[in-house]
């Protein structure tokens, strides 16, 4: 009898602790959208060049963040110092992360893993939608990245992606914010980690 | 280049480097990467004071400055200032020496580089292949010396991948008076 009660309590605790994340002030809609296209970094003709400012563990690193879509599912991503020295050169697909070069200063297993996840989410061409919500100004779509929940926030006015949030253990793990959106280009992108002291600020480089 | 021409070029460049106490020049820098449609271009001005102080100031397309001074790199990113002490990182210290030496022309160090000299119509060229750990960043450095004044006019920094940075100096002035605060990260 006591054992059965304990089992029920454990089960209840499990259910409570597994309560999944949901953005505040959203209402569930009947799901009509099946796919969300991520049009940032989607033009194969374009060189995407951003000024990067990376804040990590009290240090700040400045440089250039360069992205080129090289074929339907592949992006080349390069990070250089402002002087032009290459610090990172990778090829990203949703199934692979090929490191062409990484400076020994950055070559830490955990850092590589973090960048791999960040770049794959940032560059993922489309997201399959499982649930659709709405709020006052945004449409919110629940999707998946590997086995983790992802929420995509789209501006109702111009239909651009304003934010992508990666959820882990019912909390926001990483948020990707897109600002100054002009057609398919975001002038400012911020990647903010809540589980790590790491923030990546990208500002489109003016010619 | 014959042995005697190479000796003469090296003596001229080394002697010229010794006479340079200060230097100011404009520059245009292009980053070439095979997968990009166009090179990434930046420009600005550069100030040097012998033996090892260098201000690299970008003005286009954004304002950003890097000061190399006393084993430290001071950065001013549109008002956000930071300092990196590279004295405890041998690779980055060598890269700093390489950048400063590329400007002054004082890089003829046979222990640090395998050096080959060439001549063309406009330039005498020194091709330097690093022997140290900086070769993970730079596999070859090409210094183009003006035949008229024996100072460095163009620099090409080639990475192991073949991508490269090309810097062209313009309106160079030597031994001018510099503001004593030039190399302070004010």
């Amino acid at each position: 009898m006591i054992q059965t009660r304990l089992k029920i309590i454990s089960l209840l605790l499990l259910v409570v602790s597994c309560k999944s994340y949901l953005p505040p002030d959203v209402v569930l809609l009947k799901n009509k959208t099946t796919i969300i296209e991520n049009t940032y970094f989607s033009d194969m003709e374009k060189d995407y060049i951003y000024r990067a400012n990376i804040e990590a563990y009290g240090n700040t690193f400045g440089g250039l963040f360069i992205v080129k879509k090289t074929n339907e599912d592949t992006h080349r991503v390069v990070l250089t110092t402002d002087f032009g020295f290459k610090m990172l050169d990778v090829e990203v697909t949703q199934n692979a992360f090929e490191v062409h070069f990484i400076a020994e200063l950055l070559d830490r297993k955990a850092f590589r893993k973090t960048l791999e996840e960040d770049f794959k989410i940032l560059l993922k061409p489309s997201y399959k939608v499982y649930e659709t919500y709405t709020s006052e100004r945004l449409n919110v779509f629940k999707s998946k990245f590997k086995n983790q929940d992802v929420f995509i926030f789209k501006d109702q006015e111009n239909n651009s992606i304003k934010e992508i949030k990666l959820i882990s253990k019912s909390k926001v793990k990483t948020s990707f914010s897109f600002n100054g959106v002009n057609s398919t280009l975001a002038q400012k992108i911020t990647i903010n980690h809540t589980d790590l002291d790491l923030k990546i600020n990208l500002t489109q480089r003016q010619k | 280049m014959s042995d005697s021409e190479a000796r003469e070029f090296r003596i001229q460049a080394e002697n010229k480097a010794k006479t340079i106490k200060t230097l100011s020049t404009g520059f245009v820098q292009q980053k070439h990467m095979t997968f990009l449609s166009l090179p990434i271009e930046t420009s600005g001005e550069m100030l040097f004071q012998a033996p090892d102080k260098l201000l690299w100031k970008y003005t286009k397309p954004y304002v950003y400055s890097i000061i190399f001074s006393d084993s430290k790199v001071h950065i001013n990113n549109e008002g956000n200032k930071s300092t990196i002490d590279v004295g405890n990182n041998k690779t980055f210290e060598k890269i700093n020496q390489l950048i400063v030496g590329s400007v002054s022309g004082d890089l003829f160090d046979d222990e640090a580089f395998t050096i080959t000299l060439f001549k063309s119509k406009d330039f005498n060229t020194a091709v330097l292949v690093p022997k140290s750990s900086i070769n993970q960043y730079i596999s070859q450095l090409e210094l183009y010396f003006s035949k008229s004044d024996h100072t460095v006019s163009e620099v090409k920094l080639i990475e192991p991948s073949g991508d490269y940075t090309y810097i062209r100096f313009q309106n160079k002035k030597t031994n001018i008076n510099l503001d004593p605060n030039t190399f302070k990260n004010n």
Side-chain angles (χ1 to χ4, degrees):
Chain A
M1 187 67 175
I2 292 171
Q3 272 189 336
T4 312
R5 277 185 187 164
L6 278 173
K7 272 184 188 171
I8 292 168
I9 290 167
S10 307
L11 203 63
L12 282 171
L13 283 172
L14 193 69
V15 169
V16 170
S17 65
C18 286
K19 188 174 178 282
S20 59
Y21 171 89
L22 200 60
D25 307 321
V26 294
V27 177
L28 182 66
L29 295 179
K30 193 178 172 191
N31 193 20
K32 286 180 187 168
T33 311
T34 53
I35 294 282
I36 295 289
E37 302 284 347
N38 177 6
T39 51
Y40 302 132
F41 305 106
S42 63
D43 186 349
M44 283 172 71
E45 299 297 314
K46 198 168 171 53
D47 298 336
Y48 294 94
I49 302 167
Y50 285 81
R51 288 266 294 139
N53 188 272
I54 300 174
E55 299 163 36
Y57 301 99
N59 297 307
T60 305
F61 168 82
L64 291 179
F65 179 80
I66 302 150
V67 178
K68 180 86 174 182
K69 185 171 182 176
T70 51
N71 67 42
E72 270 318 305
D73 63 349
T74 311
H75 287 86
R76 188 80 173 259
V77 181
V78 170
L79 190 65
T80 74
T81 65
D82 270 292
F83 195 78
F85 287 110
K86 210 182 270 181
M87 300 300 283
L88 179 77
D89 182 352
V90 294
E91 215 158 79
V92 185
T93 68
Q94 288 305 304
N95 299 317
F97 188 75
E98 189 185 345
V99 178
H100 291 293
F101 176 77
I102 184 163
E104 57 181 338
L105 198 69
L106 303 181
D107 197 8
R108 305 286 178 271
K109 200 177 166 187
F111 189 63
R112 272 187 186 223
K113 212 175 150 190
T114 302
L115 290 185
E116 178 177 350
E117 188 173 84
D118 286 357
F119 293 172
K120 282 184 175 177
I121 292 172
L122 183 68
L123 304 170
K124 191 171 161 62
S126 63
Y127 284 90
K128 190 175 175 185
V129 175
Y130 295 97
E131 287 171 15
T132 304
Y133 298 84
T134 188
S135 70
E136 201 181 332
R137 290 181 186 165
L138 299 165
N139 289 326
V140 183
F141 304 94
K142 186 178 177 182
S143 181
K144 291 271 182 196
F145 174 75
K146 295 185 177 171
N147 57 351
Q148 300 173 90
D149 285 346
V150 167
F151 284 89
I152 301 148
F153 298 75
K154 285 189 99 175
D155 194 317
Q156 286 174 0
E157 218 167 273
N158 61 16
N159 205 32
S160 64
I161 295 177
K162 291 290 290 176
E163 201 168 19
I164 298 174
K165 286 181 177 176
L166 176 70
I167 311 302
S168 175
K169 294 171 188 167
S170 306
K171 286 180 183 163
V172 177
K173 182 184 175 193
T174 315
S175 63
F176 302 73
S177 309
F178 304 89
N179 288 299
V181 177
N182 172 11
S183 179
T184 58
L185 193 73
Q187 284 172 358
K188 279 183 185 285
I189 300 172
T190 304
I191 305 172
N192 202 2
H193 292 260
T194 50
D195 60 338
L196 299 169
D197 187 4
L198 176 63
K199 190 175 180 184
I200 302 172
N201 300 294
L202 306 173
T203 308
Q204 194 205 351
R205 184 182 186 271
Q206 302 300 319
K207 287 193 177 163
Chain B
M1 194 179 276
S2 69
D3 285 354
S4 64
E5 283 174 321
R7 266 196 304 279
E8 192 187 343
F9 160 37
R10 200 160 156 158
I11 288 166
Q12 279 172 339
E14 283 173 332
N15 285 344
K16 183 68 188 182
K18 280 178 199 156
T19 69
I20 297 174
K21 304 297 173 208
T22 62
L23 187 151
S24 85
T25 178
F27 71 86
V28 176
Q29 182 175 333
Q30 287 186 330
K31 180 80 189 168
H32 292 255
M33 282 188 256
T34 49
F35 66 91
L36 291 180
S37 316
L38 293 169
I40 301 169
E41 190 168 292
T42 41
S43 59
E45 66 169 324
M46 190 277 298
L47 299 167
F48 167 73
Q49 181 180 301
D52 60 0
K53 286 182 167 49
L54 184 69
L55 165 63
W56 202 275
K57 190 175 177 183
Y58 295 94
T59 51
K60 276 184 187 172
Y62 45 81
V63 178
Y64 182 93
S65 64
I66 312 172
I67 297 168
F68 301 89
S69 173
D70 306 321
S71 294
K72 289 192 174 66
V73 180
H74 305 281
I75 294 163
N76 188 336
N77 181 7
E78 292 173 325
N80 293 321
K81 294 173 189 175
S82 58
T83 297
I84 303 165
D85 189 345
V86 295
N88 51 9
N89 186 319
K90 289 285 166 219
T91 304
F92 280 89
E93 196 176 12
K94 286 196 178 91
I95 287 176
N96 278 6
Q97 289 164 358
L98 184 139
I99 294 167
V100 172
S102 301
V103 173
S104 67
D106 186 16
L107 261 186
F108 291 93
D109 179 352
D110 291 300
E111 280 186 23
F113 304 101
T114 303
I115 302 171
T116 319
L117 305 174
F118 298 93
K119 66 174 177 181
S120 65
K121 184 169 163 279
D122 299 320
F123 301 109
N124 285 322
T125 306
V127 175
L128 293 83
V129 177
K131 293 176 181 174
S132 70
S133 56
I134 63 169
N135 59 15
Q136 64 167 311
Y137 299 95
I138 300 296
S139 58
Q140 185 168 301
L141 174 70
E142 297 174 5
L143 301 181
Y144 295 84
F145 289 80
S146 155
K147 281 189 171 176
S148 58
D149 70 358
H150 312 297
T151 62
V152 179
S153 292
E154 297 177 12
V155 180
K156 193 172 174 184
L157 298 129
I158 306 169
E159 297 166 17
S161 65
D163 292 343
Y164 63 93
T165 303
Y166 174 70
I167 304 162
R168 203 172 65 247
F169 298 122
Q170 299 166 326
N171 305 321
K172 201 184 308 168
K173 291 172 195 151
T174 55
N175 297 331
I176 52 158
N177 288 326
L178 293 181
D179 184 328
N181 293 323
T182 299
F183 304 100
K184 289 180 182 164
N185 199 19
N186 293 320

